[in-house]
Amino acid sequence: MQTECIFCNIVNGKIPAKKIYEDEQVIAFNDISPAAPAHVLLIPKKHIANLLEVAADDQQLIAHMMSTVPHIVKQLGLAEEGFRLVVNTKDNGGQTVNHLHFHILGGRFMTWPPG
Ligand code: 5GP
Ligand code: ZN
């Protein structure tokens, strides 16, 4: 837990967020600045800075995050029409919060390539 990390502070309740899903390992909440009609961030409760910082010990956690995505997508009603999963990583990836997060985006057609 890093006291200055926005997402750690969402995990510990110091910063409020609209929770979509929570279990012992992860939490999902609405993005404060949605880029699509549905825009949820799925994060590990454990502070991991980005995908490059995932340790061997974290493999079960990452697998759990991936398996949680379909659950959230179905809960949001996005399963039929589809969605996009994005993991921005470091500067060129556009990462602005240094706590690993999966963006789950849906509710509209997503263009390709991304900007
Ligand atoms: P990144 O740019 O690192 O891939 O994604 C960070 C995301 O976190 C952005 O989409 C941004 O809108 C969102 N975000 C930043 N601060 C907060 C916050 O305090 N609460 C919530 N719910 N989302 C946030
Ligand atoms: Zn953190």
Side-chain angles (χ1 to χ4, degrees):
M1 191 73 70
Q2 300 212 342
T3 50
E4 73 284 7
C5 171
I6 295 170
F7 290 173
C8 283
N9 281 313
I10 286 177
V11 171
N12 68 27
K14 285 186 184 154
I15 294 177
K18 175 78 178 70
K19 281 182 202 168
I20 298 297
Y21 174 85
E22 181 172 13
D23 63 30
E24 65 287 347
Q25 296 183 90
V26 302
I27 181 169
F29 52 91
N30 281 335
D31 196 293
I32 203 168
S33 178
H39 187 172
V40 166
L41 300 172
L42 172 62
I43 70 169
K45 289 186 171 176
K46 174 184 176 181
H47 181 89
I48 300 171
N50 60 51
L51 204 53
L52 295 164
E53 300 297 327
V54 171
D57 278 0
D58 299 323
Q59 285 185 9
Q60 185 280 334
L61 173 59
I62 301 304
H64 178 66
M65 286 179 73
M66 287 304 290
S67 65
T68 304
V69 171
H71 175 83
I72 293 169
V73 162
K74 288 172 194 162
Q75 186 183 325
L76 294 171
L78 304 175
E80 192 171 333
E81 296 198 305
F83 66 97
R84 184 167 288 175
L85 185 67
V86 174
V87 188
N88 296 329
T89 304
K90 299 185 83 174
D91 290 347
N92 270 6
Q95 184 175 10
T96 59
V97 177
N98 292 323
H99 181 131
L100 178 64
H101 49 283
F102 291 180
H103 293 259
I104 300 170
L105 297 144
R108 66 168 171 83
F109 181 80
M110 301 290 159
T111 58
W112 191 264

